[in-house]
Amino acid sequence: MTLIDWIGFIGVFQILLAYFLNVIGKISNTHIAFILLNLVGASMACLASILINYWPFIILEAVWALVSLYALFNYKKNH
């Protein structure tokens, strides 16, 4: 695997980990760990998509990261 593959793999893993932890009830979707896993994961997956120039996932992961960033700002405002 290349460095780009690893960046994408780790990013997607973080997104899936956040989802899994939420589904099994370990963290809520408003928990800081959930928000940060999604933000960092989506940013890494977006970067990997940029590096391979794959626009569908650039758009998907960029929007995912922006929504996560919005959630982070709301979290900080409320805590």
Side-chain angles (χ1 to χ4, degrees):
M1 286 188 12
T2 67
L3 178 59
I4 295 169
D5 293 329
W6 278 106
I7 293 169
F9 175 77
I10 293 168
V12 169
F13 175 78
Q14 289 179 72
I15 294 168
L16 292 174
L17 178 61
Y19 178 69
F20 176 73
L21 292 172
N22 178 254
V23 167
I24 65 170
K26 295 294 182 185
I27 59 175
S28 74
N29 63 346
T30 58
H31 192 277
I32 189 68
F34 181 85
I35 296 167
L36 290 175
L37 281 167
N38 275 289
L39 178 59
V40 174
S43 297
M44 291 178 72
C46 186
L47 174 60
S49 299
I50 290 167
L51 294 173
I52 64 171
N53 198 31
Y54 191 64
W55 279 98
F57 278 94
I58 293 170
I59 294 166
L60 173 69
E61 299 302 341
V63 170
W64 197 301
L66 289 172
V67 169
S68 298
L69 189 60
Y70 175 79
L72 181 63
F73 285 134
N74 278 339
Y75 179 86
K76 289 202 176 254
K77 185 170 64 172
N78 296 324
H79 287 90

